[in-house]
Amino acid sequence: PNWLEFVRKKMPIKNLPQNLVGKTLMQISDIHIGNRFDYTYIIDSFKRAQNLNPDFVVYTGDYVSYDNQEQFKQLKEVLRFSVKGKIATIGILGNHDYGKNWKETNVSNKISDLLKQSGVTVLRNEQKEYSGLNFIGLDDYWGTNFNPEPIMSQYNDKIANLVLCHNPDVCDLDVWNNYKRWVLAGHTHGGQVKPPFLPPFMIPVKNKKYASGEIDLEDGRTLYINRALGHLWQVRFNVRPE
């Protein structure tokens, strides 16, 4: 569960300005701060990640495993060590950031505020451009604020774009408006347990091909599903935290 892997991939983006060619973007997903595992592991992982000095950092949701308001204090403690990008640091929310049954809007608002206080720009069905790269952040599919159509109808196809979307099942919805670039997601944890030569036993998505890693959606979009840094429960087999 603590055998962290830094996965490195080439990430060509259409219309990327020359000043961003060769820059580094780091994705961090699903840290799940709470009482289910010792989250000093997350702090230690953040310290290791800081040494890579990324240009952009994106957080793709599930900052807590929410039981009660204690998680706000715990998350604030961890965010003191959060990894920041030299150019920008952007985040979106996941389903666990909406509290119990993914319906507690006050929980999502509080987590969003804590992220902003720590220097993370939170996009909730919004977009923001940094140095010629436009980030489109969708709110969580299962949460109370999911509304991707307006922002996906507004994006400028003539510039470099990148979508952040916690739940990869959103890729199968009719909301994409001919978008043909990368989608960075999390949510699945790669299943956390994967027997050799078999698929993961349990991944929380309708489309079971959305487990982990890079997936060509065969329509111009490339999906990347991060295996999660944290855990719902501290059990991993053949699926290293990423």
Side-chain angles (χ1 to χ4, degrees):
N2 297 342
W3 189 21
L4 176 62
E5 181 180 10
F6 287 90
V7 178
R8 292 169 171 84
K9 300 194 74 67
K10 296 290 188 182
M11 192 179 187
I13 298 179
K14 184 179 178 182
N15 298 329
L16 190 69
Q18 189 63 36
N19 63 295
L20 292 184
V21 173
K23 299 294 187 183
T24 303
L25 182 147
M26 178 181 289
Q27 182 189 10
I28 299 172
S29 200
D30 298 80
I31 60 175
H32 283 283
I33 303 305
N35 297 318
R36 298 187 183 185
F37 65 93
D38 182 357
Y39 56 81
T40 57
Y41 149 72
I42 300 294
I43 294 173
D44 292 341
S45 299
F46 279 178
K47 290 177 179 178
R48 289 181 60 189
Q50 288 167 4
N51 291 330
L52 295 175
N53 203 22
D55 298 290
F56 296 96
V57 174
V58 297
Y59 292 88
T60 46
D62 279 3
Y63 303 92
V64 299
S65 288
Y66 186 79
D67 291 312
N68 55 57
Q69 293 192 7
E70 181 186 11
Q71 276 68 67
F72 299 147
K73 180 180 178 181
Q74 294 170 330
L75 179 60
K76 188 173 182 179
E77 176 188 351
V78 171
L79 288 176
R80 288 173 46 221
F81 303 92
S82 58
V83 189
K84 303 288 177 43
K86 288 183 290 186
I87 299 175
T89 308
I90 302 104
I92 59 171
L93 299 184
N95 54 298
H96 284 269
D97 304 318
Y98 278 85
K100 295 176 182 177
N101 300 316
W102 332 132
K103 300 301 181 187
E104 296 185 276
T105 301
N106 60 311
V107 173
S108 69
N109 291 339
K110 177 63 174 179
I111 290 173
S112 182
D113 287 343
L114 289 174
L115 291 166
K116 291 174 184 176
Q117 290 168 20
S118 74
V120 179
T121 298
V122 181
L123 298 179
R124 306 184 69 176
N125 306 311
E126 298 169 296
Q127 61 183 335
K128 190 159 185 177
E129 182 182 333
Y130 295 91
S131 300
L133 177 57
N134 188 51
F135 292 85
I136 303 168
L138 306 185
D139 219 321
D140 183 66
Y141 186 24
W142 294 351
T144 59
N145 192 46
F146 181 67
N147 186 26
E149 290 92 342
I151 193 62
M152 292 310 299
S153 68
Q154 296 171 15
Y155 81 93
N156 179 3
D157 187 55
K158 305 300 182 186
I159 63 174
N161 290 287
L162 176 64
V163 167
L164 309 177
C165 173
H166 178 71
N167 188 328
D169 270 339
V170 175
C171 290
D172 294 341
L173 303 181
D174 186 19
V175 299
W176 289 91
N177 189 27
N178 207 37
Y179 176 83
K180 294 186 181 299
R181 293 179 182 82
W182 287 83
V183 181
L184 301 186
H187 185 62
T188 67
H189 299 208
Q192 288 199 194
V193 174
K194 183 184 183 302
F197 311 111
L198 294 173
F201 285 142
M202 185 182 298
I203 49 175
V205 284
K206 182 177 180 181
N207 190 333
K208 298 305 179 183
K209 77 177 183 180
Y210 295 156
S212 65
E214 182 176 337
I215 300 170
D216 184 355
L217 298 180
E218 300 179 353
D219 61 0
R221 292 177 297 164
T222 302
L223 171 64
Y224 190 84
I225 304 172
N226 183 289
R227 297 190 306 263
L229 178 57
H231 332 288
L232 277 176
W233 304 103
Q234 192 168 310
V235 177
R236 294 243 184 193
F237 179 75
N238 210 24
V239 182
R240 290 173 65 182
E242 178 175 356

